[in-house]
Amino acid sequence: TDIGFEMGNQNHVIPVTNGNWFFSEKVRVRLLEFSFPLALILGTIGYLQYHTGGEAVSFTNALYHSVQLFILHSAHFERSVPLALELARWLAAASTILLVANSVIWLLQQERTGLKLRYMKNHTLVCGLGGKGRAVVSELCGNHRKIVVIDKDPDQETTEWLRRLKI
């Protein structure tokens, strides 16, 4: 969802959930969707490979130890670890850091949006960008009015249209 507003004589768009200063939100989510399961799978395989000596380790124990990698905790290893486990350790740490970064970015965007909206004055609020909402926005833009647009689930085309209008 984007929120548009005017400050001075310029319209601005506040991306509520689509920050682009640390990759795009879509790229960050795709990285997490890829890295979390991969680290979990590699970690489980790695723990199973590590304990092939005389010790018997169950699949669930290997999976449990893999989950612990995400909280940046792993057991002390007395010998070298398999490549799968080494990759999982680094990938899990990177995934955890990316998840924390995503959360911080989202919180900062929400705070920034709230602060900007708190100080807006003399603006028109348009709720919903269906056919009538788009017509109202077009009319208000033609009259150089300050506009705030709220839409529950705008599609990509609508978001780009608002950006072209500098809303």
Side-chain angles (χ1 to χ4, degrees), residues 142-160:
N143 295 333
H144 305 292
R145 300 283 306 265
K146 296 178 189 178
I147 306 168
V148 173
V149 176
I150 299 175
D151 195 351
K152 183 177 179 182
D153 190 26
D155 57 25
Q156 186 67 26
E157 178 186 332
T158 301
T159 302
E160 289 174 12

Side-chain angles (χ1 to χ4, degrees), residues 114-157:
L115 287 173
K116 286 189 175 189
L117 290 175
R118 183 176 300 153
Y119 295 106
M120 284 185 64
K121 293 185 183 340
N122 302 320
H123 59 278
T124 302
L125 179 64
V126 178
C127 297
L129 286 173
K132 290 180 184 178
R134 287 177 74 106
V136 168
V137 168
S138 294
E139 178 70 26
L140 291 171
C141 280
N143 295 333
H144 305 292
R145 300 283 306 265
K146 296 178 189 178
I147 306 168
V148 173
V149 176
I150 299 175
D151 195 351
K152 183 177 179 182
D153 190 26
D155 57 25
Q156 186 67 26
E157 178 186 332

Side-chain angles (χ1 to χ4, degrees), residues 44-114:
T44 303
I45 291 169
Y47 274 111
L48 289 170
Q49 290 172 344
Y50 182 78
H51 291 291
T52 57
E55 299 176 53
V57 65
S58 69
F59 174 79
T60 55
N61 278 343
L63 183 62
Y64 176 79
H65 285 296
S66 295
V67 170
Q68 286 185 320
L69 295 174
F70 292 99
I71 58 170
L72 307 179
H73 172 75
S74 64
H76 174 71
F77 298 106
E78 297 177 9
R79 60 183 194 275
S80 64
V81 297
L83 180 60
L85 183 54
E86 189 66 34
L87 289 173
R89 288 167 46 175
W90 287 101
L91 192 56
S95 298
T96 301
I97 290 167
L98 183 58
L99 180 64
V100 169
N102 275 351
S103 300
V104 168
I105 289 167
W106 183 83
L107 288 171
L108 289 174
Q109 287 174 337
Q110 296 300 314
E111 187 65 26
R112 181 176 149 235
T113 299

